[in-house]
Amino acid sequence: MSTYEIKVKTGDRLGAGTDAKVEIVLLDGSGRQTKPAYLDNWFRNDFEARQLDVFTIKDDTDIPDVTEIKIRRDQAGLFSDWYVEKIEVLNKRIGTASVFPILRWIRPDVDLYVGKFDTLLPQFDPRRDQRNAELELKKKLYEYEEKVSGLPVQVKKVPEDEEFSISAKWDLLKRKFSLLAGKSVEMIFGSGSWETLEDLTGVYSKTFGDPKEMENWKSDEHFGWQRLNSVNPNLIRLCTDIPSKFGVTDECIKECLDGLTLSEAMSKKRLFIVDLEILDGITCVEGYISPVPIALLFVNGTGKLMPVAIQLFQQKGPENPVFVPTDPPYTWLFAKMWYNVADANYHQALTHLGFTHLLMEGICVATNRCLSPSHPMFKLLAPHFLFIIAINSRGLNYLVSPGGWIDKTMAIGAVGILELTKKGADSWRMNIEGNYAEFLKSRGVYCNDGSILPTFYQRDDSMMLYGAIRDYVTKYVNLYYDTNDKIIHDVEIQTFGQELTKSKSDGGCGILGVPFENGKFSKADQLIEVFTSVIFSSSVLHAASNFPQYDAYGFPPNYPTKIRGVPPKNKNPLKEEDIVKSLIDKSTTLDAMVITRILSERSTNALGDFEVTYTYDPAAVKIVEEFRQNLKDISLKMHQRNEKLVQKYEYLYPEEIPNSIST
């Protein structure tokens, strides 16, 4: 008679626990199996959510190495649904243990077979019928829908499974909102408009703490820093030619280029440009304007990036002057603020919403539809999709809905945000914008030795992290696809590629630049590019655009999301009171501070420290551990670099980056 210890961990889902009767059978893969045994501890309420239950069963059949289990439940009890995280089986005679990750709802009166580590390509799965039936059910739960015409596809209806802990999280955020925006804070802020900059700066220590960018916000050095290391560092590119529409000349900026001409500065790769032409024609909230600016910046002799020219609209003309640092101080400051209005609206629509939240949701839906939970690539991607569907559903409803936060605080409002998101998302390519190294190269700012933009710390940190993620993905993919034939004959991964690339009108995601050549994946490098892009975008890219938000937007003059009045049409001298009059009122300031403070908070586990463990295959576990160690080494390098800096870049410490888009 053999004795087995069975440990059952019920998962963390709404309604995960069960009162049903549960039976288990242990198998060894050669036809030997135990009799069905009921799992029940007398006088104990077994199988409650997040609970670990331990059972002992005895059987005449001795199975030294349990390679498969069969689980079945009935519909007894008031609460019979059951979500299981994992089951561990120990043969007590010889001490061998086997782990069976379940991570599924157990359907009533249906046998569920799960293999040891539950990690198999479909062509090697002995339970192919069970696997295919499970995928058919998931395809009904995860259907594509283009909820707003022109936007990336999303899930048609949020599956209950995606809502598990998120409800509690958003309730917490609501409580924080109530706390921060309650009557006591309103009394500190008061109502109406700001009278002086001192009035505005005085509220921070009493409520939220100073945004990091508040201290030096007026300086040109800080404006250059923002283009590289604040919320939106993905626009700047090497300037190789001055556009004919841009009215900048050698004469007007001769004092700003360290004695160089424009041509000489370009040849030395010291001149950079941002052109926000994409904002042309975008709807604005009534009474507000978003510029469509062009900015020219120069790396000075100390390696700092400095603005040298700003034109607030696309076509040069007498009422669209080129503002330069030698203009009257507050006139130049005002031009920089108006530039930042455009930059901020681009950031929220595309860098943040379009290129991370929405694009990654479509890929999340494709993953759930096409890859079995037993597929090793599902296990690779799943930790990086945690919360995204629920966050997007709630975020779009709360933040981007008519009359919501975007309408209150952004110049282009909800209508303009969606217009801009459509415009930009249609041109996103996985092999360029979704490949960080190629994206830098396409803009002329790729560099490993600091010779180009030496203070571009966000790039430097992102490149280290991109390399670590690519190394992790490479090892993981090669573990399971050691030959190209395994890729070619994997029907699930081929279906995944088809749905990523198929047009939205034909029922796919419509993503451009996926290396799905001749309608198939045929080599490991293609999968490595796709999975690296998804994991990097869901973790590092989102963190870089999300977590600096309070530091950038919390102090409105620093990075205005909208400005009262109209952009300047001449270079007449302005005063501080002109700047103050242009600022959003106290109520809107509070709105901006509250939401950006909440969005800037970390709320999930750090990159590589997964909330849910999907990987149990020892060889894959070793790869995950190597990834974690690599991230620790990178963190040490970042901390050592920052110790030498006066203005530190601290948003991409690996221990601060969530695995997924969770805010």
Side-chain angles (χ1 to χ4, degrees):
M1 182 72 68
S2 294
T3 302
Y4 303 91
E5 181 183 80
I6 315 292
K7 293 181 180 179
V8 180
K9 177 67 182 296
T10 299
D12 179 11
R13 295 289 193 278
L14 186 64
T18 188
D19 293 330
K21 292 180 180 178
V22 175
E23 68 175 30
I24 190 169
V25 176
L26 314 181
L27 303 92
D28 73 351
S30 66
R32 300 173 70 237
Q33 64 183 57
T34 62
K35 298 182 182 70
Y38 282 105
L39 300 180
D40 183 35
N41 288 313
W42 284 17
F43 307 115
R44 175 179 167 84
N45 194 3
D46 299 318
F47 310 127
E48 293 299 296
R50 299 176 296 280
Q51 183 171 293
L52 179 67
D53 297 293
V54 182
F55 307 91
T56 300
I57 64 172
K58 296 177 184 265
D59 195 272
D60 292 334
T61 303
D62 183 44
I63 302 179
D65 183 19
V66 178
T67 60
E68 190 176 34
I69 59 175
K70 180 176 76 174
I71 294 289
R72 187 182 181 95
R73 74 165 176 87
D74 65 13
Q75 300 187 59
L78 183 60
F79 304 102
S80 61
D81 291 349
W82 189 32
Y83 183 87
V84 184
E85 183 175 317
K86 67 177 178 178
I87 295 175
E88 296 181 47
V89 179
L90 172 69
N91 183 316
K92 298 195 78 169
R93 182 180 67 82
I94 58 175
T96 56
S98 301
V99 180
F100 301 87
I102 311 296
L103 296 165
R104 293 167 172 86
W105 291 95
I106 308 299
R107 291 185 291 143
D109 302 320
V110 176
D111 293 336
L112 175 68
Y113 290 87
V114 181
K116 188 175 182 179
F117 308 138
D118 188 39
T119 307
L120 286 168
L121 297 176
Q123 59 264 46
F124 304 123
D125 195 332
R127 307 286 180 185
R128 194 86 58 88
D129 289 345
Q130 173 183 286
R131 184 173 180 134
N132 290 340
E134 183 175 42
L135 273 177
E136 287 304 311
L137 283 175
K138 292 196 77 178
K139 284 179 180 177
K140 293 176 183 177
L141 288 174
Y142 291 84
E143 293 184 284
Y144 298 113
E145 183 177 49
E146 194 176 7
K147 293 187 175 180
V148 178
S149 177
L151 289 187
V153 294
Q154 297 175 259
V155 73
K156 184 174 183 178
K157 181 183 177 183
V158 178
E160 289 184 7
D161 213 26
E162 296 287 345
E163 288 278 13
F164 62 116
S165 319
I166 200 69
S167 295
K169 171 183 165 58
W170 274 80
D171 285 345
L172 177 62
L173 295 187
K174 286 179 182 176
R175 290 200 298 272
K176 287 182 178 178
F177 185 91
S178 297
L179 175 67
L180 294 173
K183 294 298 179 185
S184 60
V185 177
E186 287 181 359
M187 288 173 63
I188 293 170
F189 270 68
S191 59
S193 300
W194 300 105
E195 295 182 6
T196 66
L197 289 175
E198 286 70 28
D199 286 343
L200 176 55
T201 57
V203 302
Y204 288 89
S205 60
K206 301 173 186 175
T207 52
F208 299 88
D210 293 352
K212 289 182 181 177
E213 294 190 25
M214 185 170 78
E215 182 179 353
N216 198 29
W217 72 276
K218 293 180 182 178
S219 76
D220 286 355
E221 181 180 331
H222 177 67
F223 185 87
W225 167 275
Q226 288 179 324
R227 309 287 70 80
L228 303 177
N229 300 307
S230 190
V231 290
N232 194 28
N234 299 325
L235 287 174
I236 192 163
R237 59 179 58 243
L238 186 68
C239 184
T240 57
D241 183 47
I242 301 297
S244 59
K245 63 185 178 181
F246 193 10
V248 67
T249 64
D250 279 308
E251 180 63 26
C252 71
I253 58 169
K254 63 182 179 181
E255 297 180 32
C256 306
L257 298 182
D258 289 358
L260 301 176
T261 64
L262 284 168
S263 178
E264 289 168 343
M266 284 188 280
S267 68
K268 293 178 180 293
K269 296 186 177 182
R270 292 174 65 180
L271 205 62
F272 297 84
I273 193 167
V274 181
D275 186 348
L276 279 155
E277 182 179 13
I278 193 172
L279 282 160
D280 202 13
I282 296 296
T283 299
C284 290
V285 173
E286 186 176 355
Y288 288 90
I289 294 172
S290 173
V292 189
I294 308 169
L296 196 66
L297 302 103
F298 173 72
V299 176
N300 68 14
T302 64
K304 303 289 175 59
L305 183 69
M306 308 291 279
V308 295
I310 295 172
Q311 182 176 294
L312 292 176
F313 292 92
Q314 287 290 296
Q315 297 303 325
K316 61 187 178 184
E319 292 192 339
N320 186 28
V322 175
F323 296 95
V324 297
T326 52
D327 290 338
Y330 281 106
T331 303
W332 172 238
L333 178 62
F334 207 32
K336 291 188 291 182
M337 290 172 63
W338 273 105
Y339 170 89
N340 269 346
V341 170
D343 197 276
N345 282 266
Y346 179 98
H347 162 253
Q348 292 294 7
L350 287 169
T351 306
H352 189 202
L353 176 64
F355 296 153
T356 62
H357 281 262
L358 296 183
L359 279 169
M360 291 306 110
E361 180 176 340
I363 297 173
C364 170
V365 175
T367 301
N368 278 282
R369 286 173 55 84
C370 302
L371 303 183
S372 161
S374 301
H375 200 294
M377 299 306 117
F378 179 90
K379 296 177 184 293
L380 173 68
L381 293 178
H384 306 287
F385 293 138
L386 188 70
F387 300 144
I388 184 173
I389 287 177
I391 282 288
N392 284 356
S393 172
R394 291 162 185 255
L396 284 173
N397 288 336
Y398 179 68
L399 299 176
V400 192
S401 58
W405 183 75
I406 294 291
D407 262 352
K408 292 178 182 176
T409 59
M410 309 297 293
I412 64 177
V415 172
I417 285 283
L418 296 178
E419 289 175 358
L420 186 53
T421 304
K422 293 177 197 177
K423 214 171 179 182
D426 280 348
S427 61
W428 188 91
R429 299 154 295 176
M430 182 172 280
N431 61 334
I432 303 294
E433 289 81 6
N435 179 321
Y436 190 68
E438 293 302 317
F439 186 38
L440 293 173
K441 290 174 186 176
S442 74
R443 291 156 44 212
V445 294
Y446 179 86
C447 174
N448 281 320
D449 61 4
S451 60
I452 299 173
L453 293 171
T455 60
F456 198 171
Y457 304 122
Q458 189 272 351
R459 172 199 61 192
D460 300 341
D461 291 358
S462 294
M463 278 299 298
M464 285 193 288
L465 292 162
Y466 183 82
I469 291 169
R470 191 174 182 90
D471 178 69
Y472 164 54
V473 170
T474 299
K475 291 175 181 176
Y476 200 103
V477 168
N478 287 333
L479 174 64
Y480 295 101
Y481 295 113
D482 53 342
T483 68
N484 290 340
D485 279 349
K486 288 183 179 179
I487 298 173
I488 293 167
H489 294 106
D490 182 342
V491 294
E492 291 179 11
I493 209 70
Q494 298 300 339
T495 303
F496 176 65
Q498 290 164 12
E499 294 208 0
L500 287 183
T501 55
K502 195 187 302 181
S503 69
K504 290 183 283 185
S505 60
D506 288 334
C509 296
I511 294 176
L512 304 176
V514 178
F516 193 61
E517 297 166 9
N518 300 315
K520 64 180 179 181
F521 290 125
S522 58
K523 52 190 177 183
D525 284 349
Q526 295 168 317
L527 299 180
I528 290 164
E529 182 164 339
V530 172
F531 300 144
T532 301
S533 175
V534 172
I535 294 172
F536 181 80
S537 298
S538 299
S539 56
V540 179
L541 203 62
H542 178 259
S545 68
N546 184 71
F547 294 122
Q549 287 192 87
Y550 178 69
D551 288 332
Y553 299 136
F555 182 63
N558 172 66
Y559 220 131
T561 55
K562 66 180 182 182
I563 288 178
R564 293 169 165 178
V566 297
K569 297 181 179 181
N570 56 56
K571 299 190 176 190
N572 293 342
L574 298 175
K575 299 178 180 179
E576 180 177 308
E577 49 260 41
D578 297 310
I579 302 294
V580 175
K581 286 177 184 176
S582 75
L583 299 177
I584 54 178
D585 63 22
K586 294 180 178 181
S587 174
T588 309
T589 300
L590 180 57
D591 262 348
M593 290 170 65
V594 168
I595 296 299
T596 56
R597 179 64 180 268
I598 290 171
L599 291 176
S600 298
E601 291 180 352
R602 279 76 167 171
S603 55
T604 53
N605 289 9
L607 185 59
D609 178 18
F610 305 130
E611 283 84 354
V612 178
T613 301
Y614 290 88
T615 301
Y616 289 90
D617 179 353
V621 169
K622 182 174 182 290
I623 292 170
V624 173
E625 291 298 332
E626 289 171 354
F627 178 47
R628 290 170 178 160
Q629 184 57 53
N630 201 356
L631 293 174
K632 289 180 182 177
D633 295 342
I634 288 171
S635 177
L636 180 61
K637 290 178 183 177
M638 292 179 185
H639 282 280
Q640 289 173 339
R641 188 265 326 272
N642 279 333
E643 284 176 3
K644 303 172 185 175
L645 299 179
V646 175
Q647 189 170 6
K648 308 176 191 307
Y649 183 78
E650 301 175 305
Y651 299 111
L652 290 182
Y653 290 141
E655 62 269 25
E656 298 288 336
I657 300 171
N659 290 297
S660 61
I661 297 169
S662 54
T663 51

